[in-house]
Amino acid sequence: MSKTVLVTGGTGLVGKAIEAVINEEKPPNERWLFVGSKDADLTDLQSTRAMFERYQPTHVIHLAAMVGGLFHNMNNNLDFLRKNIQINDNVLLLSHEYKVQKVVSCLSTCIFPDKTSYPIDETMIHNGPPHDSNFGYSYAKRLIDITNRAYNQQHGDMFTSVVPCNVFGPFDNFTPGVSHVIPGMIHRLHETIYLTDPEKPQKEKIFSVYGTGKPLRQFIYSKDLAKLFIWVLREYENVEPIILSVDEAAEVTIAHLAESLVQGFQFKGKLEFDSSKADGQYKKTASNAKLRKLLPDFQFTDFDLAIKETVQWYIDNYEKARK
Ligand code: NAP
Ligand code: GDP
């Protein structure tokens, strides 16, 4: 029987990467629909219902969310909480009403307890308060897992979730004040090199990294995450969340990331660290042991290569990039 897969948030960073993999794969017996906020406002129940009525999905990948980096979260915890609760409740309710066979929703490693042992694993999501900087986003995301369990217990629905680490790649949101660290730094480094003081020799330019540069992060390339998402939709039959992250050994400091971006841009100037700006969570090291057990041979793209490709995408698509 053929599947109709509806991807909410299909116009964003992760959605575009899934679309690229599917366009290459051209799977028979699967119709994929990638929708954004122009197709439906998912904070609105009637609008969400109209979309489900129009597309009649058999499967849903649920990505749509209010998303942002550390500084956007710090200033908007209420909006992150309310919008994401509304979106998630509407999408899961309509998925139930339209008898969707499987929903894969998206959590994040930044929603785990702030005070915890490392590495974090799938059993620890609800074990304590999240970091203060993003508690709105975190509690809204945690409720997806709770809602999935409740739909499964009461109705037998197969609603599950994945837990990616920090994601980056083409089609990211490069908007200052909103963006995550990689698109944020790409945007600012591009401005430093090409737009600010065009007369000044590049060697004399200074690029400021926010914070101390010491926090640690695991970064997954959107193309790798896209392949894993598609695998989860087709093969993973469990309500329990699964972490989709690079290995613990691939964790890097923000300072290392800055160096990799310097290489990606071939920037000739100097880096400085602005420790007056927030560091956020020091680390959120996640274990991908569960994923590795199920999919031992999965190859992640080399980090520096993925950074180079993302920088090149930004330069080539500067006019249309979200910024
Ligand atoms: P993104 O690029 O900002 O895309 C967000 C998507 O959600 C867009 O397609 C947007 O549609 C849609 N959307 C937002 N509000 C909506 C609304 N009210 N109604 C309908 N659609 C709405 O985000 P992303 O980075 O791809 O994130 C995708 C998922 O991954 C999210 O659930 C996020 O929490 C999760 N995640 C992201 C990261 C990361 O580092 N980026 C890490 C872990 C987990 P329009 O663009 O058309 O407005
Ligand atoms: P997080 O991983 O959820 O904390 O969110 P981000 O992706 O926004 O990463 C935040 C980390 O990167 C913090 O340690 C920031 O101090 C650091 N950082 C350095 N430069 C930037 C920047 O230009 N934008 C952002 N968002 N963070 C930056």
Side-chain angles (χ1 to χ4, degrees), residues 120-309:
I120 295 160
D121 70 36
E122 290 85 352
T123 65
M124 296 156 81
I125 293 174
H126 306 285
N127 284 359
H131 194 264
D132 244 10
S133 58
N134 66 352
F135 68 90
Y137 176 80
S138 299
Y139 278 116
K141 286 285 185 189
R142 286 182 187 193
L143 274 178
I144 291 181
D145 178 52
I146 301 292
T147 314
N148 284 348
R149 290 169 195 276
Y151 272 112
N152 184 259
Q153 189 195 65
Q154 213 168 311
H155 299 291
D157 290 323
M158 179 44 68
F159 295 175
T160 190
S161 59
V162 299
V163 189
C165 57
N166 288 41
V167 191
F168 70 101
F171 298 98
D172 208 337
N173 189 349
F174 298 82
T175 309
V178 172
S179 54
H180 287 97
V181 56
I182 293 182
M185 291 217 281
I186 288 178
H187 178 86
R188 294 191 299 108
L189 200 42
H190 182 270
E191 290 222 315
T192 305
I193 296 170
Y194 299 108
L195 304 174
T196 319
D197 291 336
E199 304 303 317
K200 197 175 188 173
Q202 214 188 95
K203 270 194 198 141
E204 291 171 24
K205 291 189 173 182
I206 293 175
F207 178 68
S208 173
V209 179
Y210 297 166
T212 61
K214 289 180 184 156
L216 290 154
R217 294 289 184 269
Q218 286 158 297
F219 293 105
I220 186 168
Y221 194 29
S222 56
K223 288 182 189 171
D224 295 342
L225 179 61
K227 290 178 193 161
L228 293 173
F229 243 111
I230 295 165
W231 168 77
V232 168
L233 183 82
R234 291 177 183 153
E235 309 288 343
Y236 181 78
E237 291 297 323
N238 201 321
V239 174
E240 296 291 331
I242 178 166
I243 290 174
L244 302 182
S245 171
V246 296
D247 301 328
E248 287 159 61
E251 189 172 52
V252 295
T253 61
I254 297 296
H256 177 109
L257 162 65
E259 288 295 345
S260 178
L261 286 167
V262 163
Q263 294 305 318
F265 273 105
Q266 298 284 297
F267 176 55
K268 305 281 182 289
K270 271 178 57 183
L271 287 182
E272 69 174 21
F273 293 90
D274 179 358
S275 53
S276 71
K277 293 217 161 56
D279 265 348
Q281 256 171 301
Y282 172 59
K283 64 177 184 175
K284 37 188 174 174
T285 320
S287 163
N288 65 3
K290 184 172 178 175
L291 172 68
R292 282 289 187 207
K293 203 167 169 199
L294 293 168
L295 211 58
D297 298 328
F298 188 81
Q299 299 275 337
F300 291 95
T301 308
D302 173 74
F303 178 64
D304 291 324
L305 175 67
I307 286 287
K308 217 173 237 167
E309 284 184 13

Side-chain angles (χ1 to χ4, degrees), residues 9 11-14 37 40-42 63-65 106-107 137 141 167 322:
T11 54
L13 163 67
V14 181
S37 57
D41 175 4
L42 299 177
L63 305 172
C106 200
L107 314 183
Y137 176 80
K141 286 285 185 189
V167 191
R322 276 185 290 171

